[in-house]
Structure formats: structure tokens, C-alpha cells
């Protein structure tokens, strides 16, 4: 693993979505590495939430604004002058996207466009990593792992919004941040990062398996499984974050070939059905039971999603570090410690240190 910690020391970094699950982990990593971190997001949406648990609010500059507000986004970038941007703010849930498609589309497409346009109109950002998802590909459920140049598409509004964000990113790269014109017409390199489902401590979003499971188990309730046969990739939260950080460093260093789209997914041994996942988790927790209640609503959810990550492995030197057992162990140990009221900041710091060392 490349030692990237030193690079980030003293860099001025903007993270959008820093009050969310992945954003709070990323903020904590960069604060531990002595970056100067600024965040744009809405206030935390759940109680508890990782942002408050890690007490990072006072260690960074926080702007609680809506990413759809271009004027405010631009004002913040002018004021804060970030050198590197990680854009994670989004409406990230497929199910919620069926309930409010317009909000999902506005946040995920126009939110991304606002960030790109604000970067274009200001002059400080050298590198930006825009986070989308593995769901951006047209998914015919053939089982073939998707490559970065596969056709984009989206059945549900969330996937469509992220695919549209990808097209927008590609357009901005070609039109305004073209690597060919780097250091001539502009000095910014942009990449998009497509990762699959991640798990790790501190996620309390709706419809997320790990927190639902642990809450049920701790209350001695049976865990309800809606889609037992759905195959999902399970990746520890720090795996894609390591990819985003590596990518940002390369872009900042002016390595033009890193502009563009990147997949960050788990290898096939980390693919489990929801039922296998629950069974392994209950074994690690040494407690709990489940029942299957099949989901009879007709909301469509993709059954099979695999990413081909050869590009990231070969060109970026990125690879998955932890196997599925370690992934689940770290995740459930985190939640257990949280609910046992242990020092969760220290536990989070230890997980970060261990992973990056
Ligand atoms: N968690 C996963 O498994 C997963 C998988 C693939 C991709 N992603 C992507 O990673 C990113 C982060 O996901 P997460 O799981 O941390 O989600 P999350 O829901 O925990 O966090 C979302 C963040 O975005 C912010 N946000 C949402 N709407 C906003 C708005 N209108 N204006 C400003 N901020 C807004 C929230 O305040 C929060 O900080 C998202 O872009 C998501 O699509 C997540």
C-alpha cells in the first residue's frame, strides 16, 4: 500500500457530504493526517450519527448548506480556496429515490454540476474526485463485471441520477478540464469514482443491513431479511476511501492519465447473498437469529452487480485489503463498542491506523 499520509498534511481539502457515513470517515482520516478540512453538507440526518460520534465538528470548518444552491457553493470555494475536492454529497438511497425522484435527480445531478461549475469559476482546486456508484452502468444482470467504458444507464431514479452525473462529469472533463489542455488552459484534473456497497461502523442510514442487524440483535429481536438471495458486494468503508485518496494524490501531482472514471469494488470472494452475510455476521456476533419476509413491493432493485477493477489495480496500485471475515469483524466490533459505550473515537482511530499501516 502506498504511504499517502504525508502527502495530505497541510493540504486544504473540501469534502461535500462530510456529515454522512463515508464523508465522516474521510474527514476523520484527513484530520488525523493533519489536513485542513472544510465540509459542505446538510446537518446529520440520523441520531446517532458518525459525524457527532467522532466529534469532528470543532476540528474543521462546516457549512451546512444545500448543494443545490450554486451561489453558496461558489462563495464557499472562493472563501476557503480548497486545493482538493472530494464530492460525496448525494441522496444515496435507491428506495428513497422512488419516493422522491425529483429531489434525488436535483441533488445528484445538479449538485454535481454545481461543484464542477464552482471549481471552473474559481481558481484554486487542483484535483477533484467525484463519487458516484457502481449502479451507474446499464445493468442487464448478465453477471459480467462492468468496466469503466461500459454503457451507462439506470433503472431506478437513484441509478439514473448517478449515471447522469457521470455524463456531466465527462462533459466537464472534455469541455473545461481536458487533460490535453492541462497547465495550458487550466490546472485542474477531475476523476469520478464508482464504488459498490460499503459497510463499516457508524452507518445509520435507512435500509442499511449492518445497522439494522446490530440494532435487532442487541434488542434480542429477529433480523428480518427482505431479499435473501440478492447477491451484494461487501466492502469495508476504508477500501474505496483509500482509492479516492490515491486518486486525488495522482491528480494533484498533475498525472493527467488519472483523469476520468475509476471502479473500486471488492473481489469476488467478498460477494455474498444477503442471507450468507447475515449468517456470517451472526456467527461473528455469536448472538441473534433471523427470519425471511420476502419483499412483495414491486420496487425494482438490481440483483447482480460486479465491477471489473483491473484499471485501478494496474494503474493506481489499488487493491482490496481485507477479506469478508475481516470486513464484517471490524464492522460489527465497531457497533458493539459503540453500543457498549466504549471510546468510539479511539476505536475509529485504531481502525484507520491499522488499515493504512
Ligand atoms: N454507502 C454506500 O454503500 C455507497 C455505495 C456507493 C456509492 N455511495 C456514494 O457515496 C456517497 C456518500 O454516501 P454515504 O453512504 O456516506 O451517504 P450518507 O447518506 O451517509 O451521506 C450523504 C451526505 O450527503 C449530504 N447531502 C445529501 N443531500 C444533500 C444536499 N441536498 N445538499 C448538501 N448535502 C447533502 C448529507 O448531508 C450527508 O452528509 C454518495 O454520493 C453515495 O451515492 C455510497
Amino acid at each position: 500500500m502506498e504511504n499517502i499520509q504525508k502527502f495530505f498534511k497541510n493540504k486544504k481539502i473540501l469534502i461535500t457530504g462530510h456529515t454522512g457515513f463515508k464523508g465522516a470517515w474521510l474527514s476523520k482520516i484527513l484530520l488525523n493526517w493533519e489536513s485542513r478540512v472544510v465540509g459542505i453538507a446538510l446537518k446529520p440526518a440520523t441520531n446517532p450519527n458518525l459525524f457527532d460520534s467522532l466529534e469532528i465538528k470543532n476540528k474543521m470548518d462546516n457549512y451546512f448548506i444545500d448543494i443545490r444552491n450554486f451561489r453558496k457553493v461558489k462563495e464557499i470555494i472562493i472563501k476557503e480556496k480548497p486545493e482538493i475536492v472530494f464530492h460525496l454529497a448525494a441522496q444515496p438511497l435507491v428506495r428513497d429515490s422512488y419516493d422522491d425522484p425529483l429531489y434525488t435527480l436535483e441533488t445528484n445531478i445538479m449538485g454535481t454540476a454545481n461543484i464542477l461549475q464552482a471549481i471552473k469559476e474559481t481558481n484554486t482546486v487542483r484535483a477533484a474526485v467525484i463519487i458516484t456508484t457502481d449502479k451507474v452502468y446499464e445493468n442487464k444482470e448478465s453477471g459480467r463485471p462492468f468496466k469503466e467504458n461500459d454503457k451507462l444507464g439506470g433503472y431506478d431514479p437513484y441509478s439514473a441520477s448517478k449515471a447522469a452525473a457521470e455524463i456531466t462529469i465527462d462533459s466537464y472533463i472534455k469541455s473545461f478540464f481536458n487533460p490535453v489542455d492541462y497547465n495550458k488552459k487550466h490546472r485542474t484534473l477531475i476523476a469520478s469514482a464508482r464504488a459498490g456497497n460499503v459497510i463499516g461502523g457508524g452507518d445509520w442510514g435507512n435500509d442499511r443491513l449492518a445497522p439494522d442487524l446490530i440494532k435487532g440483535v442487541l434488542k434480542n429481536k429477529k433480523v428480518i431479511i427482505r431479499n435473501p438471495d440478492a447477491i451484494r458486494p461487501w466492502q469495508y468503508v476504508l477500501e474505496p476511501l483509500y482509492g479516492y485518496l490515491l486518486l486525488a494524490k495522482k491528480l494533484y501531482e498533475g498525472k493527467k492519465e488519472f483523469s476520468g472514471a475509476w471502479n473500486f469494488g471488492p473481489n469476488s470472494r467478498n460477494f455474498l447473498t444477503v442471507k450468507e452475510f447475515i449468517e456470517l455476521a451472526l456467527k461473528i456476533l455469536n448472538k441473534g437469529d433471523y427470519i425471511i419476509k420476502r419483499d412483495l413491493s414491486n420496487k425494482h432493485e438490481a440483483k447482480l452487480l460486479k465491477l471489473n477493477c483491473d484499471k485501478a489495480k494496474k494503474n493506481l496500485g489499488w487493491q482490496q485489503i481485507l477479506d469478508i471475515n475481516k470486513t464484517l469483524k471490524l464492522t460489527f466490533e465497531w457497533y458493539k463498542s459503540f453500543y457498549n459505550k466504549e471510546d468510539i473515537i479511539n476505536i475509529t482511530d485504531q481502525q484507520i491506523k491499522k488499515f493504512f499501516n
Side-chain angles (χ1 to χ4, degrees):
M1 182 187 255
E2 189 173 328
N3 187 345
I4 49 174
Q5 176 167 350
K6 255 195 223 136
F7 166 81
F8 283 97
K9 188 172 176 177
N10 286 326
K11 294 275 184 311
K12 183 87 178 239
I13 316 254
L14 169 64
I15 301 173
T16 74
H18 68 298
T19 58
F21 168 52
K22 280 162 84 176
W25 272 100
L26 185 59
S27 302
K28 186 72 174 103
I29 295 167
L30 288 168
L31 288 168
N32 288 3
W33 294 355
E34 297 177 60
S35 304
R36 295 171 294 143
V37 188
V38 181
I40 294 179
L42 303 176
K43 291 202 168 134
T46 59
N47 189 15
N49 63 77
L50 187 62
F51 178 72
D52 288 331
S53 302
L54 297 181
E55 297 173 16
I56 48 184
K57 189 173 168 186
N58 297 331
K59 300 190 177 80
M60 57 189 287
D61 289 316
N62 303 275
Y63 294 89
F64 297 115
I65 63 130
D66 196 310
I67 201 79
R68 293 173 298 167
N69 186 331
F70 173 70
R71 190 179 52 78
K72 284 195 184 149
V73 169
K74 187 179 164 188
E75 268 171 26
I76 294 164
I77 294 192
I78 289 174
K79 178 164 177 255
E80 296 289 349
K81 301 184 179 49
E83 300 161 272
I84 297 172
V85 173
F86 294 97
H87 176 51
L88 289 91
Q91 191 304 92
L93 301 170
V94 172
R95 293 186 145 242
D96 288 10
S97 81
Y98 282 112
D99 295 336
D100 200 343
L102 279 186
Y103 175 73
T104 304
L105 296 168
E106 283 171 12
T107 304
N108 297 359
I109 306 171
M110 285 315 295
T112 301
N114 287 345
I115 285 289
L116 291 165
Q117 182 64 20
I119 292 173
K120 177 179 172 291
E121 289 185 22
T122 53
N123 213 6
T124 60
V125 177
R126 304 285 308 274
V129 179
I130 314 287
I131 281 53
T132 63
T133 170
D134 60 352
K135 297 189 177 68
V136 294
Y137 297 106
E138 183 185 51
N139 189 357
K140 295 194 171 141
E141 307 195 353
S142 73
R144 183 181 64 79
F146 294 107
K147 280 190 175 168
E148 284 84 351
N149 53 9
D150 277 334
K151 193 174 170 201
L152 299 172
Y155 186 115
D156 58 89
Y158 169 71
S159 304
S161 74
K162 288 283 186 170
E166 283 284 353
I167 293 172
T168 309
I169 298 161
D170 189 49
S171 161
Y172 267 76
I173 291 178
K174 288 190 174 121
S175 309
F176 310 114
F177 305 111
N178 201 313
V180 172
D181 301 321
Y182 182 65
N183 268 344
K184 294 176 210 144
K185 293 187 186 155
H186 67 87
R187 46 200 289 279
T188 310
L189 292 172
I190 310 263
S192 74
R194 304 165 179 174
N197 278 11
V198 295
I199 55 167
D203 185 7
W204 280 277
N206 284 332
D207 265 347
R208 300 256 171 104
L209 201 50
D212 285 354
L213 188 142
I214 191 100
K215 278 184 280 188
V217 168
L218 290 170
K219 286 183 196 151
N220 291 320
K221 278 193 191 157
K222 281 190 180 168
V223 181
I224 297 171
I225 315 184
R226 286 184 288 113
N227 294 313
D229 310 320
I231 299 172
R232 295 271 183 267
W234 303 101
Q235 201 179 22
Y236 179 53
V237 59
L238 298 187
E239 310 266 14
L241 295 186
Y242 172 52
Y244 307 164
L245 290 160
L246 260 182
L247 202 45
K249 176 174 180 282
K250 302 283 184 204
L251 298 173
Y252 185 93
E253 289 168 345
K255 299 189 174 137
K256 296 187 267 190
E257 64 276 23
F258 290 89
S259 170
W262 297 82
N263 284 344
F264 296 105
N267 61 37
S268 50
R269 282 193 299 280
N270 273 34
F271 282 81
L272 295 182
T273 65
V274 171
K275 187 163 164 268
E276 287 167 339
F277 173 95
I278 303 265
E279 283 171 352
L280 188 53
L282 296 182
K283 207 166 126 195
I284 289 168
L285 290 167
N286 202 14
K287 195 172 174 192
D289 198 1
Y290 67 86
I291 42 170
I292 295 171
K293 273 192 192 168
R294 289 189 189 270
D295 187 1
L296 299 175
S297 74
N298 49 14
K299 285 175 182 167
H300 171 276
E301 271 200 65
K303 285 197 186 56
L304 198 64
L305 256 183
K306 290 184 188 167
L307 292 179
N308 177 322
C309 302
D310 289 352
K311 183 179 167 188
K313 285 180 194 157
K314 194 162 157 259
N315 302 355
L316 204 51
W318 175 88
Q319 62 170 7
Q320 182 190 311
I321 312 263
L322 304 178
D323 64 22
I324 185 71
N325 283 296
K326 271 263 163 63
T327 300
L328 293 195
K329 203 161 167 273
L330 287 179
T331 302
F332 289 106
E333 276 174 5
W334 194 101
Y335 282 108
K336 254 196 331 207
S337 307
F338 177 86
Y339 284 109
N340 287 338
K341 300 199 166 22
E342 289 166 30
D343 182 350
I344 207 64
I345 298 177
N346 183 35
I347 281 157
T348 306
D349 287 342
Q350 277 174 24
Q351 290 202 357
I352 291 172
K353 235 186 188 159
K354 227 172 157 183
F355 182 84
F356 285 97
N357 288 344

